[in-house]
Amino acid sequence: MSIDQSGERTAEPVAAPPRLTWAAIRPLVLRLHFYAGVFIGPFLLVAAVTGLAYVWTPQLEQAVYDHELHVPVAPGVVPLEQQAAVARAVVPDGTVIGIRPGPTPADSTQVIFTRPGLEPSYHWTVFVDPHTGIVRGQLETYGSGQAMPVRGWVDTLHRSLHLGDFGRWYSELAASWLWVVVLGGLALWLGKRKSSRSKRGRVLAWHRTTGLVIAAGLLFLSATGLTWSEHAGTSISELRSRLDWTTPSVSTALPAAAPQARDVGVDAVRAATLAAGLADPVEIRPPSAPGKAYVVQQVGRDWPTKADSMAVDPATGRITDTLPFADYSPAAKLARWGIDAHMGLLFGVANQILLTVLALGLIAVIGWGYRMWWLRRPTRGDARAGRPPARGTWRRIPGRVLAPVLVVTAVVGYFLPVFGLSLLGFLVVDLIAGVRRQEVAS
């Protein structure tokens, strides 16, 4: 209370709550962007370099494995059943799980096996000349895309650095933080200050401009990359399952009374689906158990997407179920397109060129970021590295804004545990650095 000139008591003016301005938030965003760039930068750099190497492996494997993948064009074709028998003879301990007829007369037939001693997701593939029935080679292949050894090796390098499950932390760490770095950079760009004409100012301008150009692509790579990660990928899979966004599959169930004594064979199965319009390239999968149907699935990964599938009764050769890609849910279609685009397969060479530009742009942005850090270093004293932005900036943010931010961060950290744990690590490092700096100052 206060007393005015007439001697009466009046109420004290109520202080206005602190206004949320960009000036109050910017230092906190800048500090997070700085720490993420410095500590996550090496992981992003490795992911960009290995991803760049992977992008062009389809052309590389076509050249390296030309003998296995391609055959001289000749008249006549040996029945698929006979080709599979030839392949079984050279892999007596294997079980056939798929047959991929050559989509053109110049392509070999791939007979795919499981066999003892193979790592998960790996297969043993025998390549057969469809015109002569002669085996042209056999290789260990990887994944549903039947990647040849060189592509499988580079893919594992990109995913885990050949360090097993432990190595997958690196790629998940990179994917978990990439979107944070990008969004922080966009926020700083929107509220940017005028760059100086100094050497550091010029580097900052290059860093900003390139980051802005590639931002959408990097967000896409982060989102699709997380679907493959070990921990975040599990959360994403559970969420997709709860929302019924999973990829559907054709039904292989057969009527209980269907006869099981005979099998029309893969040639009749392929003829039936081909007559029904299921175009190459396809993979023919034998029944997984008695009472189950053959599955013929299109395996084309380019645009337009070829992912139709049909089930065929082995006793009659009749099609029992059909699942066209057009019937996939929007979420399942987006997942398929996103994965294929991330791998550089969806739009062919154009897709590969775009990913190359993104990888080179990210490498440049990381390099310029470290360059700015170096230019920020003190020229006097014992310090050898650039100083981070000022501490304590979070205190300037009103509680009504900071509280929901902390809640959202906790939720994101729960579903992206590698992000959450590394963020806690940043906070611990920052706290220790702050304590040490106070001790030195005192």
Side-chain angles (χ1 to χ4, degrees):
M1 301 291 288
S2 61
I3 302 176
D4 61 14
Q5 294 179 353
S6 63
E8 296 183 357
R9 295 178 179 272
T10 60
E12 293 281 0
V14 179
R19 296 181 59 190
L20 178 62
T21 64
W22 174 242
I25 299 176
R26 183 181 184 278
L28 182 62
V29 176
L30 182 60
R31 190 170 181 84
L32 178 63
H33 190 69
F34 168 82
Y35 269 118
V38 168
F39 292 110
I40 305 300
F43 300 97
L44 291 174
L45 183 61
V46 172
V49 172
T50 56
L52 180 59
Y54 178 82
V55 165
W56 296 99
T57 51
Q59 286 84 354
L60 180 61
E61 69 179 7
Q62 288 292 316
V64 173
Y65 305 104
D66 176 75
H67 180 76
E68 288 84 2
L69 294 172
H70 304 126
V71 299
V73 177
V77 174
V78 175
L80 285 173
E81 194 66 59
Q82 183 177 333
Q83 296 182 54
V86 171
R88 289 190 186 95
V90 298
V91 190
D93 62 339
T95 301
V96 175
I97 60 170
I99 300 172
R100 293 192 177 190
T104 74
D107 296 317
S108 62
T109 297
Q110 300 180 25
V111 184
I112 308 163
F113 293 84
T114 59
R115 65 186 308 187
L118 292 178
E119 295 292 329
S121 299
Y122 281 87
H123 309 114
W124 193 262
T125 301
V126 177
F127 302 84
V128 181
D129 187 331
H131 307 292
T132 64
I134 297 175
V135 172
R136 294 184 64 84
Q138 45 186 317
L139 297 167
E140 186 178 78
T141 53
Y142 174 75
S144 60
Q146 280 295 95
M148 300 297 108
V150 65
R151 180 149 52 127
W153 189 90
V154 177
D155 178 79
T156 305
L157 179 69
H158 178 62
R159 188 177 66 256
S160 66
L161 301 179
H162 290 274
L163 298 175
D165 289 339
F166 173 78
R168 295 184 66 179
W169 281 72
Y170 118 82
S171 57
E172 184 164 355
L173 185 67
S176 297
W177 275 95
L178 180 56
W179 64 276
V180 179
V181 174
V182 172
L183 293 180
L186 287 174
L188 293 171
W189 178 82
L190 290 172
K192 65 181 178 181
R193 299 174 180 176
K194 187 176 180 180
S195 299
S196 67
R197 296 184 179 181
S198 64
K199 182 182 296 185
R200 184 176 180 276
R202 291 194 298 271
V203 175
L204 175 59
W206 299 336
H207 180 85
R208 280 175 173 171
T209 302
T210 305
L212 177 64
V213 171
I214 65 175
L218 296 183
L219 290 174
F220 166 79
L221 292 177
S222 176
T224 52
L226 283 172
T227 62
W228 279 302
S229 61
E230 184 173 4
H231 301 92
T234 301
S235 299
I236 293 172
S237 297
E238 291 176 354
L239 177 63
R240 290 182 60 193
S241 179
R242 291 176 182 176
L243 297 176
D244 197 22
W245 288 355
T246 55
T247 300
S249 58
V250 68
S251 173
T252 60
L254 295 173
Q260 300 295 324
R262 61 189 296 265
D263 190 325
V264 297
V266 292
D267 293 281
V269 168
R270 181 64 190 117
T273 56
L274 189 61
L278 199 65
D280 288 329
V282 298
E283 179 176 313
I284 306 166
R285 300 167 193 156
S288 58
K292 298 295 183 180
Y294 277 92
V295 172
V296 184
Q297 168 83 52
Q298 288 182 320
V299 292
R301 309 297 291 268
D302 55 355
W303 184 269
T305 300
K306 299 179 181 68
D308 296 353
S309 57
M310 296 180 179
V312 180
D313 188 333
T316 64
R318 294 178 180 176
I319 296 173
T320 59
D321 191 29
T322 299
L323 178 62
F325 181 72
D327 289 352
Y328 281 29
S329 68
K333 289 179 180 177
L334 289 173
R336 174 64 186 264
W337 289 330
I339 290 172
D340 290 346
H342 187 112
M343 297 172 67
L345 302 174
L346 188 59
F347 299 111
V349 174
N351 199 158
Q352 292 174 298
I353 292 174
L354 178 59
L355 290 176
T356 299
V357 170
L358 288 176
L360 293 176
L362 179 57
I363 292 170
V365 166
I366 294 170
W368 287 325
Y370 280 112
R371 177 62 175 163
M372 286 188 294
W373 187 33
W374 175 258
L375 293 173
R376 188 182 172 88
R377 76 192 191 284
T379 56
R380 297 179 181 179
D382 296 331
R384 293 292 180 267
R387 296 182 300 272
R391 290 174 50 81
T393 53
W394 61 273
R395 298 189 187 96
R396 305 177 191 174
I397 301 178
R400 68 182 186 280
V401 175
L402 185 60
V405 169
L406 293 177
V407 171
V408 170
T409 302
V411 171
V412 173
Y414 175 80
F415 286 103
L416 306 181
V418 174
F419 166 78
L421 290 174
S422 56
L423 178 59
L424 287 176
F426 288 170
L427 295 176
V428 170
V429 170
D430 189 47
L431 179 62
I432 294 174
V435 171
R436 292 188 60 184
R437 193 174 295 115
Q438 291 177 357
E439 291 176 349
V440 172
S442 61

